[in-house]
Amino acid sequence: AQSVTQPDIHITVSEGASLELRCNYSYGATPYLFWYVQSPGQGLQLLLKYFSGDTLVQGIKGFEAEFKRSQSSFNLRKPSVHWSDAAEYFCAVGAGSGNTGKLIFGQGTTLQVKP
Amino acid sequence: ETGVTQTPRHLVMGMTNKKSLKCEQHLGHNAMYWYKQSAKKPLELMFVYNFKEQTENNSVPSRFSPECPNSSHLFLHLHTLQPEDSALYLCASSQGGLAGVNEQFFGPGTRLTVL
């Protein structure tokens, strides 16, 4: 069965430090992969997505992610974190096909940024 | 209005009440979704509608009843809920057809409390 695992429930980094959020997926075929961010009291916003091609994808707000098929991973990175990046981050895999397809989300990683 | 809107933003109801959540998308999409987000649990897909037809019901109890009168509007009718149904209910939309592939745009959610 398809699944997404985000091993880190909570991460704290200092402002200006680099960030990496981990995501591992289980899916039989070539996955469609997404990272979403959710600020308190808000819905989810797409940061970036991978469908095919270059395995390093660039997103909004200075985020990037790298797809590694051999490790079944799609880790999110940012070279220098800003206080406004404090939020909850969700990795998701697109499963199924056609009209029956759906997104399967990980349990999320809460990012706290220290001044 | 732009994007995906949800009303009300907050709702408190008793277990014997009947209420409805409303979602409207202004993006010209043809697929709409209901998700439940509880504390410390992954996002749970509840229902998917593609071109007004329900294509996914993720074993949701019958006390939740969705309605999709057109591609722009989605309702979630609630009756005889339980306290464990308290959660943030998120609506999303995407281009129709490929629910596992296309980016989903989320509304801000309705925070539901069942007393």
Side-chain angles (χ1 to χ4, degrees), chain A:
Chain A
Q2 302 95 345
S3 66
V4 176
T5 302
Q6 293 177 245
D8 305 304
I9 301 298
H10 191 277
I11 282 184
T12 300
V13 299
S14 298
E15 189 168 17
S18 63
L19 171 70
E20 182 170 32
L21 301 182
R22 295 183 291 164
C23 173
N24 293 97
Y25 67 89
S26 172
Y27 188 64
T30 300
Y32 299 99
L33 295 161
F34 306 80
W35 273 100
Y36 284 84
V37 62
Q38 184 180 31
S39 298
Q42 300 297 314
L44 278 68
Q45 180 186 21
L46 182 71
L47 285 175
L48 47 79
K49 58 188 177 185
Y50 170 78
F51 284 178
S52 64
D54 194 344
T55 57
L56 183 64
V57 294
Q58 303 297 320
I60 62 172
K61 305 185 180 185
F63 285 92
E64 66 177 27
E66 186 171 12
F67 170 59
K68 293 185 177 180
R69 185 188 299 276
S70 61
Q71 298 177 19
S72 297
S73 69
F74 188 57
N75 293 348
L76 182 71
R77 300 194 294 249
K78 187 170 184 178
S80 177
V81 169
H82 187 262
W83 65 266
S84 60
D85 293 324
E88 191 156 19
Y89 292 80
F90 294 92
C91 181
V93 62
S97 61
N99 287 354
T100 63
K102 58 186 179 183
L103 289 184
I104 297 172
F105 285 85
Q107 60 268 51
T109 297
T110 301
L111 173 64
Q112 183 178 0
V113 180
K114 294 189 300 185

Side-chain angles (χ1 to χ4, degrees), chain B residues 15 20 28-29 38 44 47 56 66-67 72 79 92-93 101-102 104 110-111:
Chain B
M15 289 191 285
S20 295
H29 291 161
S38 306
E44 299 173 63
F47 302 103
E56 180 90 16
E67 178 189 4
S72 298
H79 65 97
S93 71
V101 173
N102 292 319
Q104 293 182 23
T110 295
R111 173 67 64 186

